[in-house]
Amino acid sequence: MAIRLFTLIRRDDWAAEAAMKMPPAGLLDRPVSDQPHQGLRITVICFALVMFAAALTIWFNSLFA
């Protein structure tokens, strides 16, 4: 918006035309979804549980070695 305003104040025809062809800043910087996909969340939790189970298994087997 500032570029458009600046070019309109300067009154250069080519600059004003180029500024008006630019998409609004809101379209360039769309926010990403603030909630991750449910499948990704479940995958991360399952992976953490498997790693925890593996660590417990290794620890438990090392007690009797």
Side-chain angles (χ1 to χ4, degrees):
M1 293 297 268
I3 294 172
R4 289 181 182 184
L5 181 62
F6 180 70
T7 55
L8 287 176
I9 290 172
R10 287 187 39 206
R11 300 280 186 205
D12 290 339
D13 291 333
W14 64 271
E17 185 178 336
M20 289 302 141
K21 287 183 181 178
M22 292 176 58
L27 293 178
L28 297 175
D29 235 358
R30 285 190 223 159
V32 183
S33 174
D34 51 348
Q35 293 293 327
H37 295 291
Q38 197 66 18
L40 177 64
R41 182 178 294 157
I42 290 172
T43 303
V44 169
I45 290 172
C46 288
F47 182 74
L49 288 174
V50 167
M51 296 281 59
F52 183 70
L56 279 179
T57 302
I58 292 170
W59 174 75
F60 188 73
N61 285 336
S62 68
L63 288 177
F64 301 107

